[in-house]
PDB file of all heavy atoms in Angstrom:
ATOM      1  N   PHE D 271     -59.261  35.253  78.491  1.00 90.00           N
ATOM      2  CA  PHE D 271     -58.121  34.987  77.614  1.00 90.00           C
ATOM      3  C   PHE D 271     -57.933  33.489  77.418  1.00 90.00           C
ATOM      4  O   PHE D 271     -58.051  32.696  78.360  1.00 90.00           O
ATOM      5  CB  PHE D 271     -56.846  35.590  78.216  1.00 90.00           C
ATOM      6  CG  PHE D 271     -55.602  35.292  77.424  1.00 90.00           C
ATOM      7  CD1 PHE D 271     -55.338  35.969  76.243  1.00 90.00           C
ATOM      8  CD2 PHE D 271     -54.705  34.331  77.856  1.00 90.00           C
ATOM      9  CE1 PHE D 271     -54.197  35.700  75.512  1.00 90.00           C
ATOM     10  CE2 PHE D 271     -53.559  34.053  77.140  1.00 90.00           C
ATOM     11  CZ  PHE D 271     -53.306  34.745  75.957  1.00 90.00           C
ATOM     12  N   LEU D 272     -57.653  33.099  76.174  1.00 89.00           N
ATOM     13  CA  LEU D 272     -57.368  31.719  75.823  1.00 89.00           C
ATOM     14  C   LEU D 272     -56.252  31.703  74.780  1.00 89.00           C
ATOM     15  O   LEU D 272     -56.218  32.552  73.886  1.00 89.00           O
ATOM     16  CB  LEU D 272     -58.623  31.051  75.231  1.00 89.00           C
ATOM     17  CG  LEU D 272     -58.461  29.620  74.692  1.00 89.00           C
ATOM     18  CD1 LEU D 272     -58.348  28.640  75.852  1.00 89.00           C
ATOM     19  CD2 LEU D 272     -59.632  29.238  73.799  1.00 89.00           C
ATOM     20  N   TRP D 273     -55.321  30.746  74.895  1.00 92.00           N
ATOM     21  CA  TRP D 273     -54.289  30.613  73.878  1.00 92.00           C
ATOM     22  C   TRP D 273     -54.091  29.143  73.548  1.00 92.00           C
ATOM     23  O   TRP D 273     -54.388  28.261  74.350  1.00 92.00           O
ATOM     24  CB  TRP D 273     -52.979  31.272  74.316  1.00 92.00           C
ATOM     25  CG  TRP D 273     -52.322  30.668  75.522  1.00 92.00           C
ATOM     26  CD1 TRP D 273     -52.810  30.633  76.791  1.00 92.00           C
ATOM     27  CD2 TRP D 273     -51.047  30.025  75.564  1.00 92.00           C
ATOM     28  NE1 TRP D 273     -51.917  30.002  77.631  1.00 92.00           N
ATOM     29  CE2 TRP D 273     -50.829  29.626  76.901  1.00 92.00           C
ATOM     30  CE3 TRP D 273     -50.071  29.756  74.609  1.00 92.00           C
ATOM     31  CZ2 TRP D 273     -49.673  28.962  77.302  1.00 92.00           C
ATOM     32  CZ3 TRP D 273     -48.914  29.098  75.007  1.00 92.00           C
ATOM     33  CH2 TRP D 273     -48.725  28.716  76.339  1.00 92.00           C
ATOM     34  N   ARG D 274     -53.649  28.907  72.326  1.00 93.00           N
ATOM     35  CA  ARG D 274     -53.508  27.537  71.835  1.00 93.00           C
ATOM     36  C   ARG D 274     -52.181  27.381  71.100  1.00 93.00           C
ATOM     37  O   ARG D 274     -51.708  28.310  70.445  1.00 93.00           O
ATOM     38  CB  ARG D 274     -54.652  27.184  70.886  1.00 93.00           C
ATOM     39  CG  ARG D 274     -56.022  27.297  71.489  1.00 93.00           C
ATOM     40  CD  ARG D 274     -57.106  27.069  70.443  1.00 93.00           C
ATOM     41  NE  ARG D 274     -57.097  25.707  69.945  1.00 93.00           N
ATOM     42  CZ  ARG D 274     -57.812  25.304  68.891  1.00 93.00           C
ATOM     43  NH1 ARG D 274     -58.556  26.163  68.216  1.00 93.00           N
ATOM     44  NH2 ARG D 274     -57.772  24.034  68.499  1.00 93.00           N
ATOM     45  N   VAL D 275     -51.623  26.176  71.186  1.00 95.00           N
ATOM     46  CA  VAL D 275     -50.421  25.802  70.432  1.00 95.00           C
ATOM     47  C   VAL D 275     -50.734  24.492  69.728  1.00 95.00           C
ATOM     48  O   VAL D 275     -51.039  23.483  70.380  1.00 95.00           O
ATOM     49  CB  VAL D 275     -49.199  25.633  71.357  1.00 95.00           C
ATOM     50  CG1 VAL D 275     -48.000  25.164  70.550  1.00 95.00           C
ATOM     51  CG2 VAL D 275     -48.890  26.934  72.080  1.00 95.00           C
ATOM     52  N   ILE D 276     -50.693  24.491  68.397  1.00 95.00           N
ATOM     53  CA  ILE D 276     -51.037  23.301  67.620  1.00 95.00           C
ATOM     54  C   ILE D 276     -49.876  22.957  66.702  1.00 95.00           C
ATOM     55  O   ILE D 276     -49.471  23.768  65.862  1.00 95.00           O
ATOM     56  CB  ILE D 276     -52.316  23.507  66.778  1.00 95.00           C
ATOM     57  CG1 ILE D 276     -53.496  23.898  67.664  1.00 95.00           C
ATOM     58  CG2 ILE D 276     -52.648  22.241  66.001  1.00 95.00           C
ATOM     59  CD1 ILE D 276     -53.838  25.351  67.644  1.00 95.00           C
ATOM     60  N   GLY D 277     -49.323  21.775  66.861  1.00 96.00           N
ATOM     61  CA  GLY D 277     -48.289  21.284  65.962  1.00 96.00           C
ATOM     62  C   GLY D 277     -48.912  20.512  64.811  1.00 96.00           C
ATOM     63  O   GLY D 277     -49.938  19.840  64.992  1.00 96.00           O
ATOM     64  N   GLU D 278     -48.306  20.594  63.624  1.00 96.00           N
ATOM     65  CA  GLU D 278     -48.935  19.971  62.463  1.00 96.00           C
ATOM     66  C   GLU D 278     -47.885  19.478  61.471  1.00 96.00           C
ATOM     67  O   GLU D 278     -46.841  20.101  61.276  1.00 96.00           O
ATOM     68  CB  GLU D 278     -49.860  20.977  61.780  1.00 96.00           C
ATOM     69  CG  GLU D 278     -50.648  20.412  60.611  1.00 96.00           C
ATOM     70  CD  GLU D 278     -51.629  21.408  60.043  1.00 96.00           C
ATOM     71  OE1 GLU D 278     -51.905  22.418  60.721  1.00 96.00           O
ATOM     72  OE2 GLU D 278     -52.107  21.198  58.910  1.00 96.00           O
ATOM     73  N   ALA D 279     -48.196  18.338  60.845  1.00 97.00           N
ATOM     74  CA  ALA D 279     -47.420  17.817  59.721  1.00 97.00           C
ATOM     75  C   ALA D 279     -48.413  17.466  58.619  1.00 97.00           C
ATOM     76  O   ALA D 279     -49.460  16.880  58.891  1.00 97.00           O
ATOM     77  CB  ALA D 279     -46.613  16.586  60.122  1.00 97.00           C
ATOM     78  N   ASP D 280     -48.098  17.839  57.377  1.00 97.00           N
ATOM     79  CA  ASP D 280     -49.025  17.648  56.259  1.00 97.00           C
ATOM     80  C   ASP D 280     -48.236  17.162  55.048  1.00 97.00           C
ATOM     81  O   ASP D 280     -47.369  17.877  54.534  1.00 97.00           O
ATOM     82  CB  ASP D 280     -49.742  18.967  55.951  1.00 97.00           C
ATOM     83  CG  ASP D 280     -50.848  18.802  54.909  1.00 97.00           C
ATOM     84  OD1 ASP D 280     -50.993  17.682  54.369  1.00 97.00           O
ATOM     85  OD2 ASP D 280     -51.552  19.779  54.632  1.00 97.00           O
ATOM     86  N   VAL D 281     -48.532  15.938  54.595  1.00 97.00           N
ATOM     87  CA  VAL D 281     -47.899  15.377  53.407  1.00 97.00           C
ATOM     88  C   VAL D 281     -48.906  15.420  52.269  1.00 97.00           C
ATOM     89  O   VAL D 281     -50.013  14.884  52.398  1.00 97.00           O
ATOM     90  CB  VAL D 281     -47.417  13.936  53.646  1.00 97.00           C
ATOM     91  CG1 VAL D 281     -46.766  13.377  52.382  1.00 97.00           C
ATOM     92  CG2 VAL D 281     -46.432  13.888  54.812  1.00 97.00           C
ATOM     93  N   LEU D 282     -48.548  16.069  51.144  1.00 96.00           N
ATOM     94  CA  LEU D 282     -49.487  16.340  50.065  1.00 96.00           C
ATOM     95  C   LEU D 282     -48.831  16.053  48.723  1.00 96.00           C
ATOM     96  O   LEU D 282     -47.712  16.506  48.459  1.00 96.00           O
ATOM     97  CB  LEU D 282     -49.933  17.807  50.131  1.00 96.00           C
ATOM     98  CG  LEU D 282     -50.739  18.367  48.967  1.00 96.00           C
ATOM     99  CD1 LEU D 282     -52.115  17.715  48.912  1.00 96.00           C
ATOM    100  CD2 LEU D 282     -50.862  19.877  49.091  1.00 96.00           C
ATOM    101  N   HIS D 283     -49.538  15.284  47.867  1.00 97.00           N
ATOM    102  CA  HIS D 283     -49.069  15.060  46.497  1.00 97.00           C
ATOM    103  C   HIS D 283     -50.032  15.730  45.531  1.00 97.00           C
ATOM    104  O   HIS D 283     -51.250  15.567  45.644  1.00 97.00           O
ATOM    105  CB  HIS D 283     -48.969  13.572  46.175  1.00 97.00           C
ATOM    106  CG  HIS D 283     -48.523  13.306  44.768  1.00 97.00           C
ATOM    107  ND1 HIS D 283     -47.233  13.521  44.341  1.00 97.00           N
ATOM    108  CD2 HIS D 283     -49.225  12.883  43.664  1.00 97.00           C
ATOM    109  CE1 HIS D 283     -47.130  13.231  43.057  1.00 97.00           C
ATOM    110  NE2 HIS D 283     -48.322  12.846  42.618  1.00 97.00           N
ATOM    111  N   VAL D 284     -49.495  16.474  44.556  1.00 97.00           N
ATOM    112  CA  VAL D 284     -50.301  17.244  43.612  1.00 97.00           C
ATOM    113  C   VAL D 284     -50.325  16.530  42.262  1.00 97.00           C
ATOM    114  O   VAL D 284     -49.308  16.476  41.556  1.00 97.00           O
ATOM    115  CB  VAL D 284     -49.741  18.668  43.445  1.00 97.00           C
ATOM    116  CG1 VAL D 284     -50.620  19.479  42.496  1.00 97.00           C
ATOM    117  CG2 VAL D 284     -49.624  19.358  44.800  1.00 97.00           C
ATOM    118  N   ASP D 285     -51.491  15.966  41.915  1.00 97.00           N
ATOM    119  CA  ASP D 285     -51.661  15.391  40.579  1.00 97.00           C
ATOM    120  C   ASP D 285     -51.917  16.492  39.554  1.00 97.00           C
ATOM    121  O   ASP D 285     -51.327  16.496  38.468  1.00 97.00           O
ATOM    122  CB  ASP D 285     -52.830  14.393  40.574  1.00 97.00           C
ATOM    123  CG  ASP D 285     -52.569  13.199  41.465  1.00 97.00           C
ATOM    124  OD1 ASP D 285     -51.414  12.742  41.504  1.00 97.00           O
ATOM    125  OD2 ASP D 285     -53.510  12.733  42.135  1.00 97.00           O
ATOM    126  N   ARG D 286     -52.843  17.405  39.867  1.00 97.00           N
ATOM    127  CA  ARG D 286     -53.113  18.580  39.038  1.00 97.00           C
ATOM    128  C   ARG D 286     -53.281  19.777  39.961  1.00 97.00           C
ATOM    129  O   ARG D 286     -54.061  19.730  40.915  1.00 97.00           O
ATOM    130  CB  ARG D 286     -54.380  18.399  38.198  1.00 97.00           C
ATOM    131  CG  ARG D 286     -54.251  17.376  37.094  1.00 97.00           C
ATOM    132  CD  ARG D 286     -55.405  17.505  36.099  1.00 97.00           C
ATOM    133  NE  ARG D 286     -56.695  17.368  36.746  1.00 97.00           N
ATOM    134  CZ  ARG D 286     -57.348  16.212  36.896  1.00 97.00           C
ATOM    135  NH1 ARG D 286     -56.807  15.095  36.454  1.00 97.00           N
ATOM    136  NH2 ARG D 286     -58.526  16.172  37.491  1.00 97.00           N
ATOM    137  N   ALA D 287     -52.577  20.852  39.702  1.00 96.00           N
ATOM    138  CA  ALA D 287     -52.603  22.015  40.589  1.00 96.00           C
ATOM    139  C   ALA D 287     -53.951  22.717  40.571  1.00 96.00           C
ATOM    140  O   ALA D 287     -54.387  23.253  41.592  1.00 96.00           O
ATOM    141  CB  ALA D 287     -51.502  22.991  40.200  1.00 96.00           C
ATOM    142  N   GLY D 288     -54.649  22.728  39.414  1.00 95.00           N
ATOM    143  CA  GLY D 288     -55.950  23.383  39.341  1.00 95.00           C
ATOM    144  C   GLY D 288     -55.857  24.859  39.703  1.00 95.00           C
ATOM    145  O   GLY D 288     -54.906  25.554  39.336  1.00 95.00           O
ATOM    146  N   LEU D 289     -56.846  25.344  40.446  1.00 94.00           N
ATOM    147  CA  LEU D 289     -56.904  26.766  40.822  1.00 94.00           C
ATOM    148  C   LEU D 289     -56.136  26.989  42.121  1.00 94.00           C
ATOM    149  O   LEU D 289     -56.681  27.386  43.151  1.00 94.00           O
ATOM    150  CB  LEU D 289     -58.356  27.214  40.960  1.00 94.00           C
ATOM    151  CG  LEU D 289     -59.202  27.078  39.687  1.00 94.00           C
ATOM    152  CD1 LEU D 289     -60.628  27.541  39.943  1.00 94.00           C
ATOM    153  CD2 LEU D 289     -58.587  27.850  38.534  1.00 94.00           C
ATOM    154  N   SER D 290     -54.854  26.709  42.083  1.00 95.00           N
ATOM    155  CA  SER D 290     -53.965  26.930  43.223  1.00 95.00           C
ATOM    156  C   SER D 290     -52.589  27.275  42.689  1.00 95.00           C
ATOM    157  O   SER D 290     -52.325  27.183  41.484  1.00 95.00           O
ATOM    158  CB  SER D 290     -53.887  25.681  44.115  1.00 95.00           C
ATOM    159  OG  SER D 290     -53.088  24.680  43.496  1.00 95.00           O
ATOM    160  N   ASP D 291     -51.696  27.652  43.581  1.00 94.00           N
ATOM    161  CA  ASP D 291     -50.319  27.964  43.195  1.00 94.00           C
ATOM    162  C   ASP D 291     -49.366  26.816  43.493  1.00 94.00           C
ATOM    163  O   ASP D 291     -48.138  27.004  43.523  1.00 94.00           O
ATOM    164  CB  ASP D 291     -49.853  29.239  43.905  1.00 94.00           C
ATOM    165  CG  ASP D 291     -50.561  30.473  43.357  1.00 94.00           C
ATOM    166  OD1 ASP D 291     -50.964  30.443  42.181  1.00 94.00           O
ATOM    167  OD2 ASP D 291     -50.732  31.453  44.117  1.00 94.00           O
ATOM    168  N   TYR D 292     -49.919  25.628  43.730  1.00 96.00           N
ATOM    169  CA  TYR D 292     -49.082  24.437  43.865  1.00 96.00           C
ATOM    170  C   TYR D 292     -48.534  24.046  42.486  1.00 96.00           C
ATOM    171  O   TYR D 292     -49.002  24.537  41.446  1.00 96.00           O
ATOM    172  CB  TYR D 292     -49.891  23.279  44.456  1.00 96.00           C
ATOM    173  CG  TYR D 292     -50.027  23.332  45.960  1.00 96.00           C
ATOM    174  CD1 TYR D 292     -51.203  23.787  46.564  1.00 96.00           C
ATOM    175  CD2 TYR D 292     -48.983  22.917  46.773  1.00 96.00           C
ATOM    176  CE1 TYR D 292     -51.325  23.836  47.934  1.00 96.00           C
ATOM    177  CE2 TYR D 292     -49.095  22.959  48.155  1.00 96.00           C
ATOM    178  CZ  TYR D 292     -50.268  23.421  48.736  1.00 96.00           C
ATOM    179  OH  TYR D 292     -50.381  23.476  50.095  1.00 96.00           O
ATOM    180  N   ILE D 293     -47.566  23.127  42.451  1.00 96.00           N
ATOM    181  CA  ILE D 293     -46.926  22.690  41.214  1.00 96.00           C
ATOM    182  C   ILE D 293     -47.361  21.261  40.910  1.00 96.00           C
ATOM    183  O   ILE D 293     -47.222  20.363  41.757  1.00 96.00           O
ATOM    184  CB  ILE D 293     -45.400  22.775  41.317  1.00 96.00           C
ATOM    185  CG1 ILE D 293     -44.975  24.228  41.581  1.00 96.00           C
ATOM    186  CG2 ILE D 293     -44.732  22.248  40.041  1.00 96.00           C
ATOM    187  CD1 ILE D 293     -43.486  24.398  41.805  1.00 96.00           C
ATOM    188  N   THR D 294     -47.898  21.029  39.715  1.00 97.00           N
ATOM    189  CA  THR D 294     -48.363  19.704  39.302  1.00 97.00           C
ATOM    190  C   THR D 294     -47.219  18.690  39.347  1.00 97.00           C
ATOM    191  O   THR D 294     -46.101  18.947  38.904  1.00 97.00           O
ATOM    192  CB  THR D 294     -48.945  19.767  37.882  1.00 97.00           C
ATOM    193  OG1 THR D 294     -50.081  20.650  37.882  1.00 97.00           O
ATOM    194  CG2 THR D 294     -49.380  18.392  37.410  1.00 97.00           C
ATOM    195  N   GLY D 295     -47.519  17.515  39.902  1.00 96.00           N
ATOM    196  CA  GLY D 295     -46.554  16.427  39.974  1.00 96.00           C
ATOM    197  C   GLY D 295     -45.603  16.488  41.150  1.00 96.00           C
ATOM    198  O   GLY D 295     -44.758  15.602  41.321  1.00 96.00           O
ATOM    199  N   LYS D 296     -45.739  17.482  41.991  1.00 96.00           N
ATOM    200  CA  LYS D 296     -44.816  17.647  43.105  1.00 96.00           C
ATOM    201  C   LYS D 296     -45.425  17.151  44.413  1.00 96.00           C
ATOM    202  O   LYS D 296     -46.639  17.211  44.608  1.00 96.00           O
ATOM    203  CB  LYS D 296     -44.433  19.124  43.239  1.00 96.00           C
ATOM    204  CG  LYS D 296     -43.331  19.391  44.257  1.00 96.00           C
ATOM    205  CD  LYS D 296     -42.917  20.856  44.240  1.00 96.00           C
ATOM    206  CE  LYS D 296     -41.837  21.132  45.260  1.00 96.00           C
ATOM    207  NZ  LYS D 296     -41.414  22.552  45.274  1.00 96.00           N
ATOM    208  N   THR D 297     -44.572  16.688  45.331  1.00 97.00           N
ATOM    209  CA  THR D 297     -44.985  16.269  46.670  1.00 97.00           C
ATOM    210  C   THR D 297     -44.452  17.271  47.687  1.00 97.00           C
ATOM    211  O   THR D 297     -43.290  17.698  47.604  1.00 97.00           O
ATOM    212  CB  THR D 297     -44.468  14.860  46.998  1.00 97.00           C
ATOM    213  OG1 THR D 297     -45.023  13.927  46.064  1.00 97.00           O
ATOM    214  CG2 THR D 297     -44.880  14.446  48.404  1.00 97.00           C
ATOM    215  N   TYR D 298     -45.295  17.622  48.636  1.00 97.00           N
ATOM    216  CA  TYR D 298     -44.928  18.576  49.694  1.00 97.00           C
ATOM    217  C   TYR D 298     -45.015  17.865  51.049  1.00 97.00           C
ATOM    218  O   TYR D 298     -45.877  17.001  51.268  1.00 97.00           O
ATOM    219  CB  TYR D 298     -45.860  19.781  49.689  1.00 97.00           C
ATOM    220  CG  TYR D 298     -45.810  20.605  48.428  1.00 97.00           C
ATOM    221  CD1 TYR D 298     -46.499  20.214  47.284  1.00 97.00           C
ATOM    222  CD2 TYR D 298     -45.073  21.785  48.373  1.00 97.00           C
ATOM    223  CE1 TYR D 298     -46.455  20.972  46.119  1.00 97.00           C
ATOM    224  CE2 TYR D 298     -45.021  22.560  47.215  1.00 97.00           C
ATOM    225  CZ  TYR D 298     -45.718  22.133  46.093  1.00 97.00           C
ATOM    226  OH  TYR D 298     -45.674  22.889  44.936  1.00 97.00           O
ATOM    227  N   SER D 299     -44.132  18.245  51.928  1.00 97.00           N
ATOM    228  CA  SER D 299     -44.135  17.708  53.283  1.00 97.00           C
ATOM    229  C   SER D 299     -43.992  18.869  54.261  1.00 97.00           C
ATOM    230  O   SER D 299     -42.886  19.252  54.646  1.00 97.00           O
ATOM    231  CB  SER D 299     -42.985  16.705  53.468  1.00 97.00           C
ATOM    232  OG  SER D 299     -42.987  16.164  54.771  1.00 97.00           O
ATOM    233  N   TRP D 300     -45.120  19.427  54.663  1.00 97.00           N
ATOM    234  CA  TRP D 300     -45.129  20.613  55.510  1.00 97.00           C
ATOM    235  C   TRP D 300     -44.970  20.236  56.974  1.00 97.00           C
ATOM    236  O   TRP D 300     -45.657  19.345  57.479  1.00 97.00           O
ATOM    237  CB  TRP D 300     -46.437  21.384  55.332  1.00 97.00           C
ATOM    238  CG  TRP D 300     -46.682  21.912  53.955  1.00 97.00           C
ATOM    239  CD1 TRP D 300     -47.630  21.492  53.073  1.00 97.00           C
ATOM    240  CD2 TRP D 300     -45.984  22.974  53.309  1.00 97.00           C
ATOM    241  NE1 TRP D 300     -47.563  22.212  51.913  1.00 97.00           N
ATOM    242  CE2 TRP D 300     -46.564  23.146  52.030  1.00 97.00           C
ATOM    243  CE3 TRP D 300     -44.918  23.798  53.674  1.00 97.00           C
ATOM    244  CZ2 TRP D 300     -46.116  24.089  51.114  1.00 97.00           C
ATOM    245  CZ3 TRP D 300     -44.467  24.754  52.768  1.00 97.00           C
ATOM    246  CH2 TRP D 300     -45.060  24.894  51.508  1.00 97.00           C
ATOM    247  N   LEU D 301     -44.098  20.940  57.664  1.00 97.00           N
ATOM    248  CA  LEU D 301     -43.901  20.786  59.104  1.00 97.00           C
ATOM    249  C   LEU D 301     -44.011  22.162  59.752  1.00 97.00           C
ATOM    250  O   LEU D 301     -43.405  23.122  59.268  1.00 97.00           O
ATOM    251  CB  LEU D 301     -42.531  20.181  59.412  1.00 97.00           C
ATOM    252  CG  LEU D 301     -42.223  18.813  58.807  1.00 97.00           C
ATOM    253  CD1 LEU D 301     -40.769  18.433  59.075  1.00 97.00           C
ATOM    254  CD2 LEU D 301     -43.162  17.755  59.367  1.00 97.00           C
ATOM    255  N   GLY D 302     -44.769  22.273  60.826  1.00 97.00           N
ATOM    256  CA  GLY D 302     -44.919  23.567  61.488  1.00 97.00           C
ATOM    257  C   GLY D 302     -46.068  23.562  62.457  1.00 97.00           C
ATOM    258  O   GLY D 302     -46.353  22.547  63.100  1.00 97.00           O
TER     259      GLY D 302
END
Side-chain angles (χ1 to χ4, degrees):
F271 176 76
L272 175 74
W273 64 296
R274 301 174 66 190
V275 177
I276 303 102
E278 184 175 345
D280 187 355
V281 180
L282 170 68
H283 179 72
V284 182
D285 296 322
R286 290 194 303 269
L289 300 180
S290 75
D291 290 333
Y292 279 101
I293 299 176
T294 298
K296 188 175 179 180
T297 299
Y298 297 80
S299 181
W300 298 111
L301 301 173

